[in-house]
Amino acid sequence: DENINDKDFERIGSGSIRDCWIHRETGVVYKVQTWDCDDYTNEMELRNARILRRRKFTHVRIPKTSGFTVNGVLVIAMEMVMGTLGTYTDPNEMSEAREELYRKARFQDMHGENFIIDEDEKIVPIDMGSPRGPVSYADQRVLSCGDGNLWGKW
């Protein structure tokens, strides 16, 4: 963090293992991993994004991402996605889109703070760093996103 120039970058958030910065001039978001975790990594996010971009979605859009190394640390560059954070949406709306996200992407950590409803009314996952697994849509009970938990069982 001390190496980032505040004139060019603005910190826009952080999660469990990363800080996110936006480059003021270009609007590109940079995710810098600040903590090592075996299951949630920048490497996994890049791999998941690459796999999911090859899938055909109707209601989901996978954002553009790329990775590069700075001082031995893998950094993700991601397009800035404009729209409404999932936490601030009605969990009963866009059920077809939500189902498609869960059924096809199968993220184990997809909650309201990890996706955005964009201007074209597509769901865009903005955190794809979690493992993917065989979790069914019915098991996720996407009815409680007000508290950021779309899984309903945690």
Side-chain angles (χ1 to χ4, degrees), residues 19-80:
D19 288 331
C20 291
W21 299 80
I22 188 164
H23 186 257
R24 295 179 196 274
E25 187 177 323
T26 63
V28 174
V29 174
Y30 293 91
K31 297 180 177 189
V32 181
Q33 191 165 323
T34 56
W35 183 68
D36 286 333
C37 178
D38 291 339
D39 292 338
Y40 299 83
T41 65
N42 275 359
E43 184 179 347
M44 185 171 293
E45 177 153 16
L46 289 170
R47 185 177 69 230
N48 285 341
R50 194 170 38 250
I51 290 168
L52 294 173
R53 265 194 295 280
R54 291 183 282 210
R55 293 199 175 155
K56 182 174 172 70
F57 291 100
T58 304
H59 306 287
V60 175
R61 182 175 70 78
I62 305 302
K64 297 174 189 163
T65 57
S66 62
F68 58 96
T69 303
V70 176
N71 297 329
V73 175
L74 178 61
V75 175
I76 292 177
M78 178 183 282
E79 70 173 288
M80 179 66 171

Side-chain angles (χ1 to χ4, degrees), residues 1-2 9 15 21 23 28 55 106 108 128 139:
D1 290 355
E2 64 274 357
F9 292 89
W21 299 80
H23 186 257
V28 174
R55 293 199 175 155
R106 300 184 344 234
Q108 292 182 10
M128 299 174 282
D139 287 341

